[in-house]
């Protein structure tokens, strides 16, 4: 039996285990998918040693960047992004090579592309973690120039306090890559000036629990187009399966 799994911490909210095990059951695939909740990335070698049947892993928060030194190779997208969410186990000359990929970029691009219109030329990316880097490179592939928004002042980025009416008018796409607003803290939302949003804006939230986050609701109240991250999540899972099987 083939084994696949997920590393991250914590994993209580994980979608992948149910998704893949249901897929294996419904398609009669002889495989199982396990959660490996590790409190430190240094525990990864032990996971690999104890599970020699592993053919692939997904990687989630907080290890998308920390996992890279443990890999033998990165595909070009993962290298450019600097974050990995899929590991493929490749057998070569009796040894196992670990190759890192990023299917977040696949899921994000396929999900947001149909929503883009002529006014969507620049984007604000809320957050600076591994997922935000995939979003940055995905938008770049779609010809959209992006700026990160961070809580702390960093070179080449905006802080939330710096988001003026002019900036909000110039950057018509806003992507939330932070966990702010995720269940059980669904009464929270990223601190952007929602009053300056218009029907020309597009708000995309990587979160999907709840279905409609306060970030999305406050955007919709101003007439903006809004979308959550569930479709991206499904598409990146399909992307991971394609990577493991190609």
């Amino acid at each position: 039996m083939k084994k696949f799994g997920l590393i991250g911490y914590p994993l209580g909210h994980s979608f992948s285990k149910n998704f893949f095990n249901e897929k294996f059951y419904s398609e009669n695939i002889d495989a199982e998918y396990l959660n490996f909740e590790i409190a430190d990335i240094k525990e990864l070698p032990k996971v690999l040693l104890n599970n020699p049947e592993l053919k692939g892993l997904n990687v989630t928060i907080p290890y998308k960047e920390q996992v890279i030194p443990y890999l033998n190779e990165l595909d070009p997208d993962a290298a450019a992004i600097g974050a990995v969410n899929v590991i493929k186990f490749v057998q070569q000359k009796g040894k196992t090579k670990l190759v890192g990929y990023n299917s977040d970029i696949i899921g994000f691009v396929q999900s947001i592309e149909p929503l883009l219109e002529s006014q969507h030329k620049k984007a604000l990316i809320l957050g600076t973690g591994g997922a935000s880097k995939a979003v940055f490179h995905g938008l770049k592939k779609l010809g959209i120039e992006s700026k990160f928004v961070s809580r702390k002042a960093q070179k080449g980025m905006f802080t939330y306090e710096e988001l003026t009416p002019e900036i909000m008018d110039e950057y018509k796409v806003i992507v939330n890559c932070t966990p702010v607003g995720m269940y059980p803290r669904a009464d929270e939302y990223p601190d952007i000036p929602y009053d300056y949003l218009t029907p020309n804006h597009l708000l995309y939230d990587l979160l999907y629990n709840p279905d409609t986050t306060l970030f999305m609701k406050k955007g919709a109240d101003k007439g903006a187009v809004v979308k959550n991250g569930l479709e991206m999540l499904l598409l990146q899972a399909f992307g991971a399966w394609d990577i493991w099987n190609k």
Side-chain angles (χ1 to χ4, degrees), residues 3-62:
K3 245 190 210 181
F4 300 90
L6 173 69
I7 59 164
Y9 189 86
L11 290 181
H13 62 277
S14 161
F15 146 95
S16 300
K17 186 179 175 186
N18 288 345
F19 171 83
F20 281 108
N21 283 325
E22 282 173 20
K23 177 183 174 68
F24 299 156
Y25 178 76
S26 65
E27 297 177 26
N28 287 318
I29 296 167
D30 188 25
E32 68 171 333
Y33 192 100
L34 304 165
N35 278 353
F36 300 104
E37 189 172 72
I38 55 175
D40 193 301
I41 193 64
K42 291 177 186 153
E43 293 175 39
L44 177 62
K46 193 165 76 177
V47 169
L48 303 181
L49 192 66
N50 293 339
N51 297 276
E53 315 89 344
L54 274 170
K55 301 294 178 202
L57 283 171
N58 287 122
V59 184
T60 189
I61 294 166

Side-chain angles (χ1 to χ4, degrees), residues 89-107:
F89 292 55
V90 180
Q91 297 302 321
Q92 267 190 353
K93 298 176 184 170
K95 287 188 173 179
T96 303
K97 187 168 81 168
L98 302 184
V99 186
Y101 293 83
N102 194 301
S103 70
D104 282 336
I105 189 172
I106 299 167

Side-chain angles (χ1 to χ4, degrees), residues 155-189:
K155 192 178 176 186
M157 300 185 187
F158 293 126
T159 62
Y160 286 90
E161 293 74 31
E162 290 170 338
L163 299 179
T164 60
E166 292 76 21
I167 288 170
M168 295 297 287
D169 183 54
E170 189 181 349
Y171 292 81
K172 295 274 196 318
V173 178
I174 304 172
V175 185
N176 178 36
C177 301
T178 76
V180 178
M182 184 167 76
Y183 179 84
R185 298 169 73 169
D187 57 343
E188 298 178 3
Y189 50 87

Side-chain angles (χ1 to χ4, degrees), residues 111-184:
S111 180
I112 198 169
E113 192 169 19
L115 304 175
L116 296 173
E117 296 185 11
S118 57
Q119 72 270 22
H120 297 138
K121 293 184 172 65
K122 290 188 174 185
L124 296 174
I125 300 172
L126 313 182
T128 57
S132 70
K133 290 174 179 167
V135 164
F136 178 87
H137 285 274
L139 289 168
K140 192 172 168 186
K141 283 192 169 193
L142 294 166
I144 294 175
E145 186 187 317
S146 305
K147 272 262 195 155
F148 291 102
V149 182
S150 171
R151 284 176 300 178
K152 297 175 189 155
Q154 295 186 59
K155 192 178 176 186
M157 300 185 187
F158 293 126
T159 62
Y160 286 90
E161 293 74 31
E162 290 170 338
L163 299 179
T164 60
E166 292 76 21
I167 288 170
M168 295 297 287
D169 183 54
E170 189 181 349
Y171 292 81
K172 295 274 196 318
V173 178
I174 304 172
V175 185
N176 178 36
C177 301
T178 76
V180 178
M182 184 167 76
Y183 179 84

Side-chain angles (χ1 to χ4, degrees), residues 115 201-204 212 215-217 219-220 224-228:
L115 304 175
H201 280 83
L202 164 60
L203 270 61
Y204 191 106
T212 305
F215 169 73
M216 291 165 62
K217 185 179 182 307
V225 173
V226 300
K227 188 173 177 92
N228 72 16

